[in-house]
Amino acid sequence: MNMLAQTEAQIYLAEQRGMTQTAGFRSFHTFNFGSYQHDSRGSFGGLTVFNDNTLLAGKNHTIQVEEPTEILLIPVVGGIELVDGLGESVFLGSGDVFHLTVFADQEYRIGNPYDSEAVNYLQIGLKVNPSAADSTSHFPLTTFDLANKNRLIPLFSSPNHNRLGFIGKYGGRQYGIYTLSNPQNRLFVFVIEGAFEVQGRLLHPRDGLALWNLDELEFEALSNDAILLVMET
């Protein structure tokens, strides 16, 4: 397998992420977020937020935005409850992904419904073109099954913005290839569990990799049950 190490890319190491912490809540930021601001951590194309959040038992966290933002919520450990401003709620567990557009006048609360267990989830934000934003804020709740190993499984799609997301669990020394739907798009890769070599670069758990000017992505899992998230935007 030919790993093209010369592909243009930027690595976001897990230990170099920003962090926000309050009583019962901790968030690691791959990109600039809130009080964490760094010259090398600006948004990557339409991808503006990539937060790795942990909530302690019984705690809540509020999502608010300054401009229309597509939000993806993906539980990693345990499950979360999402409640909107009208009190409508939905539970997201393992294998669920919730995709919604949040507007500046809206507020959503994420809660940990468990009595004694912490939960971990990814909160991903994507820029919305103001001319395309409308009152439709919820996409269907989708599910995925990581029992289907060694392949990328569709996670979400936003046809109006030509954005796609995939997730996959791989055995050690298993290879994968992802062909971009549009060569003009960019890719962001995030390792949830295990280790991967992605386009000639070694990534460990919670490392991210931004790539551009490529038609095809090549990767290899270096550990068993390694989980990779791939986003085209």
Side-chain angles (χ1 to χ4, degrees), residues 97-99 138-143:
V97 55
F98 200 72
H99 183 192
H138 290 187
F139 298 82
L141 174 70
T142 57
T143 61

Side-chain angles (χ1 to χ4, degrees), residues 9 13 26 44 52 56 79 131 134 146 189 203 209 215-216:
L13 296 177
R26 184 185 65 194
F44 180 60
D52 179 1
L56 295 186
S131 64
D134 56 30
L146 290 180
V189 176
L203 301 179
L209 179 66
D215 299 322
E216 192 173 73

Side-chain angles (χ1 to χ4, degrees), residues 160-200:
N160 292 338
H161 299 283
N162 197 21
R163 295 166 175 164
L164 301 166
F166 299 85
I167 193 169
K169 178 184 282 190
Y170 289 82
R173 297 301 175 182
Q174 292 293 319
Y175 297 100
I177 295 176
Y178 175 75
T179 302
L180 277 75
S181 65
N182 182 348
Q184 301 303 313
N185 284 348
R186 303 178 180 191
L187 283 179
F188 184 77
V189 176
F190 185 79
V191 177
I192 297 176
E193 296 289 349
F196 284 86
E197 183 182 353
V198 181
Q199 213 69 18

Side-chain angles (χ1 to χ4, degrees), residues 30-45:
T30 296
F31 303 113
N32 291 335
F33 187 84
S35 61
Y36 171 67
Q37 299 291 318
H38 194 282
D39 290 343
S40 66
R41 293 295 184 264
S43 59
F44 180 60

Side-chain angles (χ1 to χ4, degrees), residues 20-27 54-61:
T20 298
Q21 187 164 0
T22 60
F25 175 72
R26 184 185 65 194
S27 180
T54 298
L55 264 179
L56 295 186
K59 299 299 183 179
N60 297 287
H61 173 65

Side-chain angles (χ1 to χ4, degrees), residues 48-210:
T48 58
V49 176
F50 201 105
N51 290 346
D52 179 1
N53 297 338
T54 298
L55 264 179
L56 295 186
K59 299 299 183 179
N60 297 287
H61 173 65
T62 300
I63 295 178
Q64 291 179 303
V65 298
E66 296 180 354
E67 57 185 9
T69 304
E70 281 188 55
I71 300 288
L72 292 162
L73 298 171
I74 308 170
V76 177
V77 177
I80 57 176
E81 185 178 37
L82 177 67
V83 182
D84 66 18
L86 300 177
E88 299 287 337
S89 65
V90 60
F91 176 80
L92 288 80
S94 176
D96 291 334
V97 55
F98 200 72
H99 183 192
L100 69 160
T101 300
V102 178
F103 300 90
D105 59 348
Q106 295 176 324
E107 182 177 293
Y108 287 84
R109 187 177 77 251
I110 296 174
N112 178 347
Y114 301 108
D115 293 331
S116 59
E117 301 295 329
V119 297
N120 176 235
Y121 63 96
L122 300 179
Q123 176 188 334
I124 301 169
L126 296 157
K127 188 179 299 182
V128 173
N129 184 338
S131 64
D134 56 30
S135 60
T136 303
S137 60
H138 290 187
F139 298 82
L141 174 70
T142 57
T143 61
F144 57 92
D145 186 359
L146 290 180
N148 298 314
K149 288 187 177 183
N150 303 322
R151 57 187 289 259
L152 288 174
I153 302 167
L155 195 64
F156 77 95
S157 65
S158 296
N160 292 338
H161 299 283
N162 197 21
R163 295 166 175 164
L164 301 166
F166 299 85
I167 193 169
K169 178 184 282 190
Y170 289 82
R173 297 301 175 182
Q174 292 293 319
Y175 297 100
I177 295 176
Y178 175 75
T179 302
L180 277 75
S181 65
N182 182 348
Q184 301 303 313
N185 284 348
R186 303 178 180 191
L187 283 179
F188 184 77
V189 176
F190 185 79
V191 177
I192 297 176
E193 296 289 349
F196 284 86
E197 183 182 353
V198 181
Q199 213 69 18
R201 293 165 173 86
L202 177 62
L203 301 179
H204 293 105
R206 310 303 166 109
D207 287 347
L209 179 66

